[in-house]
Amino acid sequence: MPHPSDIVPLEPMPVDWRRALAIVAHPDDVEYGTAGAVAEWTAAGKDVAYVLVTRGEAGIDGIDPAESARIRQGEQLASAAAVGVREVEFLDHQDGVVEEGPALRADLAAAIRRHRPELLITINHRETWGGRAWNTPDHRIVGRAVLDAAGDAGNRWIFRDQLGEGGLETWGGVRWVAVAGSPEPTHAQAVGEAALERAVASLAEHRAYIAALSDLPPEEYARDLHRQAAAVVAERFGGVPCVGFEVFPR
């Protein structure tokens, strides 16, 4: 255990922005922790949109992928609405085998050019969760691609076919990329009781997915997870329940 004097405090998340975009691999990636921060931001009048690289079709062992994709898309739309997010896109890459490379970066750059965020949010791109559990390929690949696409979106000479008359425009306005679930957090967003309850409701909407993981009712499962996650990071944020992020300024 680290000595209390060795614990590095987390900085508050930047708040001088109006629009954020979360790009993650699967339905439920935002809901496992980040949704509390999203609820705080939308309650403050900020605009947040989601882009899902897959429809999560490979995520439930007992359900055929085509049916799983249909179910999980509906669950994601409901979970986004629970925290005030109205714009949700799905890019239809194949769940479980998302391929790293220019094709993925092009799709992500196009999404950034469409939504034009100042804050870009993604999932943990590092090899592990907290130095213990191994991270999945989709998370690692999508997280790294988001970090790369933040720069691609502003470069007129990269993915030029997206630009021009009737097309997209470059967007170099991303000021930060915030990585949720990183084992190396640098910042935190305080989460109050109302936002925490909205985050619980958001995760609980993933009913089919949670039913495949736990015998607990979805609301109980979601409440336990969010309260535990917020408390773990709080020790580095003055004891305040929060969501941690590794922030890369641009």
Side-chain angles (χ1 to χ4, degrees), residues 22-36 38 48-52 76 79 83 85 121-123 180 202-203 206 226:
I23 303 178
V24 295
H26 316 106
D28 78 55
D29 281 351
V30 176
E31 285 68 48
Y32 273 91
T34 313
V38 173
V48 183
Y50 292 173
V51 169
L52 287 297
Q76 181 60 64
S79 68
V83 290
V85 174
I121 304 154
T122 193
I123 194 71
S202 183
L203 178 56
H206 291 279
H226 272 285

Side-chain angles (χ1 to χ4, degrees), residues 140-219:
R140 302 195 312 266
I141 288 168
V142 170
R144 285 195 299 266
V146 170
L147 286 160
D148 292 335
D152 296 337
N155 190 327
R156 73 178 70 190
W157 306 122
I158 297 178
F159 309 128
R160 286 181 282 174
D161 59 312
Q162 298 175 0
L163 308 174
E165 187 174 351
L168 299 169
E169 296 181 0
T170 58
W171 177 248
V174 174
R175 298 165 62 193
W176 310 274
V177 182
V179 178
S182 169
E184 302 181 25
T186 58
H187 291 66
Q189 171 61 52
V191 176
E193 191 64 27
L196 184 61
E197 285 302 309
R198 292 174 71 194
V200 168
S202 183
L203 178 56
E205 290 290 353
H206 291 279
R207 296 182 182 278
Y209 184 73
I210 292 171
L213 297 177
S214 173
D215 293 331
L216 292 174
E219 289 78 9

Side-chain angles (χ1 to χ4, degrees), residues 37-175:
V38 173
E40 287 287 358
W41 295 332
T42 58
K46 297 182 184 299
D47 190 1
V48 183
Y50 292 173
V51 169
L52 287 297
V53 172
T54 79
R55 295 179 191 265
E57 66 272 14
I60 304 177
D61 182 66
I63 301 179
D64 179 80
E67 177 65 5
S68 181
R70 184 191 67 79
I71 292 170
R72 300 198 71 196
Q73 176 178 328
E75 290 182 340
Q76 181 60 64
L77 294 174
S79 68
V83 290
V85 174
R86 294 182 296 275
E87 293 182 82
V88 182
E89 294 184 17
F90 298 85
L91 298 182
D92 284 326
H93 288 252
Q94 189 175 351
D95 184 19
V97 289
V98 175
E99 296 186 9
E100 189 168 11
L104 176 60
R105 282 172 48 204
D107 282 351
L108 302 191
I112 295 166
R113 287 167 170 173
R114 282 195 302 275
H115 290 278
R116 309 178 80 75
E118 297 158 87
L119 174 64
L120 193 56
I121 304 154
T122 193
I123 194 71
N124 181 21
H125 63 290
R126 299 193 179 277
E127 292 185 345
T128 66
W129 300 95
R132 296 181 295 276
W134 188 250
N135 199 1
T136 68
D138 284 359
H139 293 151
R140 302 195 312 266
I141 288 168
V142 170
R144 285 195 299 266
V146 170
L147 286 160
D148 292 335
D152 296 337
N155 190 327
R156 73 178 70 190
W157 306 122
I158 297 178
F159 309 128
R160 286 181 282 174
D161 59 312
Q162 298 175 0
L163 308 174
E165 187 174 351
L168 299 169
E169 296 181 0
T170 58
W171 177 248
V174 174
R175 298 165 62 193

